Amino acid sequence: MKIRVIGLPLLIAALLGLAGCATPSVVTLQNGTQYLTKDLPVTTNKDGFYEFDDIAGKHIKVRAEDVSTIKTD
């Protein structure tokens, strides 16, 4: 019983801590399209693309020259 009483709050605190590690951001393209992302986009230097997953879980790859701004929430 004690393990359940102590363990549950610790589990909740750990999950909240992990959720705080993500850095959601808004990627705005030159044409005005905006993507809400789960984390900061990753740049690929060789081909010049940004890659990220949007909040729906869809993988997006856009050219770096098409990106207007990237703002963190």
Side-chain angles (χ1 to χ4, degrees):
M1 184 67 181
K2 258 188 171 181
I3 293 175
R4 214 181 257 177
V5 172
I6 294 172
L8 186 60
L10 289 176
L11 177 65
I12 291 171
L15 290 175
L16 288 175
L18 287 175
C21 293
T23 309
S25 58
V26 178
V27 177
T28 306
L29 302 182
Q30 296 288 344
N31 65 5
T33 304
Q34 291 186 335
Y35 293 102
L36 298 174
T37 67
K38 296 178 182 180
D39 212 352
L40 284 175
V42 176
T43 57
T44 307
N45 294 335
K46 287 186 178 181
D47 57 2
F49 282 84
Y50 282 103
E51 294 186 45
F52 53 89
D53 293 329
D54 67 0
I55 56 172
K58 183 178 177 186
H59 186 75
I60 308 288
K61 185 175 180 180
V62 294
R63 293 187 313 187
E65 59 199 35
D66 291 340
V67 175
S68 175
T69 59
I70 299 175
K71 295 181 182 177
T72 57
D73 282 344

